[in-house]
Amino acid sequence: MAAWSERLAGVRGVLLDISGVLHDSGEGGGVPIPGSVEALARLKRSQLKVRFCTNESQKSRGDLVGLLRHMGFDISEDEVTAPAPATCLILKERGLRPHLLIHDGIRSEFAQIDTSNPNCVVIADAGESFSYQNMNKAFQVLMELDNPVLISLGKGRYYKETSGLMLDVGAYTKALEYACGIKAEVVGKPAPGYFQSALQEMGVESHEAQ
């Protein structure tokens, strides 16, 4: 107990991942990790602020929260920092019109974004939409731009589903980086700015969080 008390001294908030921490995704929405529902409930009863920082880019934030609540987790949409809404803010601030290489599950997040005459590419975990045709189209859009901008919703190598390990967006982002000779801008983990935005939303300084 003393060790935990010392470790939590000065801590005001906790950042939690979702996939692989609260649940494993998969068929039927996946399954909660044993003990995770109870652990989150215990955190929520404490004095600590809790925020969820995810790279989920196959489900909208609303759909993700609905799934987790169905599993028994005490979680609300305004507690979740997700890459798609964060990317939309960046696109609007910079006047960017994206060609979207994304999963249909998050397309609704970009409903208010102008995608005509693209001047950048946004890539996410597109799942089965990572076909040669779709990758090549993204490549062609980037190569036609004088100042190509590639925004990647996370840059993970792989993630775990109940059926096994799955290739993540990072491998496809690397392919476009290599082919186009550019560097992607990452919106999501492990970009430091993504964690910082989650801390700001919590009202907690980095040295006060775990």
Side-chain angles (χ1 to χ4, degrees):
M1 289 295 287
W4 277 107
S5 298
E6 292 171 7
R7 185 172 181 179
L8 291 176
V11 174
R12 296 179 51 230
V14 176
L15 285 178
L16 291 176
D17 196 353
I18 293 178
S19 180
V21 173
L22 298 185
H23 80 115
D24 285 329
S25 56
E27 188 176 350
V31 295
I33 291 172
S36 58
V37 172
E38 296 78 12
L40 178 57
R42 185 176 178 183
L43 267 178
K44 287 292 191 79
R45 291 194 298 268
S46 74
Q47 299 300 310
L48 297 172
K49 295 183 178 181
V50 179
R51 189 158 191 90
F52 306 89
C53 193
T54 180
N55 271 3
E56 173 62 59
S57 61
Q58 287 198 354
K59 300 180 184 68
S60 69
R61 186 163 51 174
D63 287 346
L64 176 62
V65 168
L67 172 66
L68 292 169
R69 290 183 66 85
H70 182 71
M71 291 181 182
F73 291 103
D74 178 10
I75 183 172
S76 61
E77 194 169 337
D78 60 6
E79 292 176 308
V80 178
T81 297
T87 298
C88 287
L89 290 176
I90 292 170
L91 295 172
K92 289 177 180 179
E93 288 171 358
R94 293 167 56 181
L96 293 173
R97 302 178 306 277
H99 170 78
L100 297 171
L101 179 48
I102 62 175
H103 195 279
D104 285 343
I106 63 166
R107 202 163 290 276
S108 62
E109 299 272 23
F110 295 86
Q112 303 304 314
I113 298 297
D114 182 5
T115 58
S116 63
N117 190 25
N119 58 4
C120 73
V121 167
V122 170
I123 184 172
D125 182 8
E128 296 297 325
S129 293
F130 276 136
S131 64
Y132 174 80
Q133 180 180 5
N134 290 341
M135 283 289 291
N136 196 50
K137 177 59 179 177
F139 163 75
Q140 291 172 337
V141 169
L142 290 167
M143 292 297 285
E144 290 171 0
L145 297 172
D146 292 333
N147 298 295
V149 175
L150 173 61
I151 298 176
S152 181
L153 275 62
K155 209 172 183 182
R157 296 179 296 167
Y158 57 84
Y159 58 93
K160 183 182 178 184
E161 288 198 348
T162 53
S163 59
L165 297 179
M166 310 295 287
L167 198 61
D168 205 351
V169 64
Y172 300 95
T173 299
K174 280 290 187 182
L176 290 176
E177 286 181 325
Y178 175 71
C180 300
I182 60 175
K183 187 74 173 176
E185 301 177 27
V186 179
V187 180
K189 300 174 295 181
Y194 191 63
F195 290 108
Q196 192 59 46
S197 67
L199 291 171
Q200 289 173 352
E201 289 163 344
M202 261 203 307
V204 170
E205 298 293 329
S206 58
H207 66 275
E208 298 174 319
Q210 287 280 346

